[in-house]
Amino acid sequence: MKVLLGIGGSDDSLRALEDTVERAKAAGDDLTVAVVENPRSERSPEEVDDRVRTVLADAGIDAAVRHVEGNAGSQLVAIAEEEGFDMIAIGGGETSPMGKINLGSIAQFVLLNSHVSVKLVR
């Protein structure tokens, strides 16, 4: 499966990184990691890139890592559709005290606009 992982540095996107790399290793997925700018994250894109490369190296996965500029959600959707990805994986969705899922703006855009399958890692 050809998987595009969008990661912006939030805690939920780092969980998505760990989960997606683990699945790619087990299933032999063709993984591409897209580091996006997330204004809600305290981590810089460079810090995120370093973390991504460390996790990939530790897992022994050879994956492409690219930086995506502009509107993160729309860029992820466009890349997935234009380059024939089978799935977009993203982190997102914190559960409120009342049990409702609160989505960030990037996750919400991707979920509502993607024509390929989306895996939301919480």
Side-chain angles (χ1 to χ4, degrees):
M1 180 176 285
K2 190 173 176 184
V3 178
L4 176 64
L5 169 64
I7 180 170
S10 63
D11 290 341
D12 54 353
S13 70
L14 295 178
R15 282 190 299 275
L17 170 65
E18 300 283 344
D19 181 82
T20 305
V21 166
E22 185 177 307
R23 185 201 174 332
K25 184 174 181 176
D29 291 338
D30 178 13
L31 178 62
T32 298
V33 180
V35 178
V36 300
E37 293 182 31
N38 182 353
R40 300 173 87 187
S41 173
E42 294 178 8
R43 295 175 183 95
S44 71
E46 293 75 24
E47 290 174 294
V48 175
D49 185 272
D50 289 344
R51 177 72 177 268
V52 167
R53 292 182 191 281
T54 298
V55 170
L56 291 171
D58 289 348
I61 298 283
D62 183 28
V65 179
R66 61 203 281 186
H67 288 256
V68 177
E69 295 181 3
N71 182 289
S74 63
Q75 289 295 330
L76 289 171
V77 169
I79 291 167
E81 292 175 4
E82 292 168 5
E83 297 181 21
F85 282 89
D86 300 306
M87 180 173 63
I88 301 172
I90 53 174
E94 296 180 7
T95 305
S96 74
M98 298 298 291
K100 292 188 177 188
I101 298 174
N102 297 319
L103 297 175
S105 59
I106 297 170
Q108 183 175 11
F109 185 91
V110 172
L111 285 166
L112 293 174
N113 293 284
S114 178
H115 293 280
V116 300
S117 297
V118 178
K119 177 180 179 182
L120 181 65
V121 179
R122 300 185 307 129

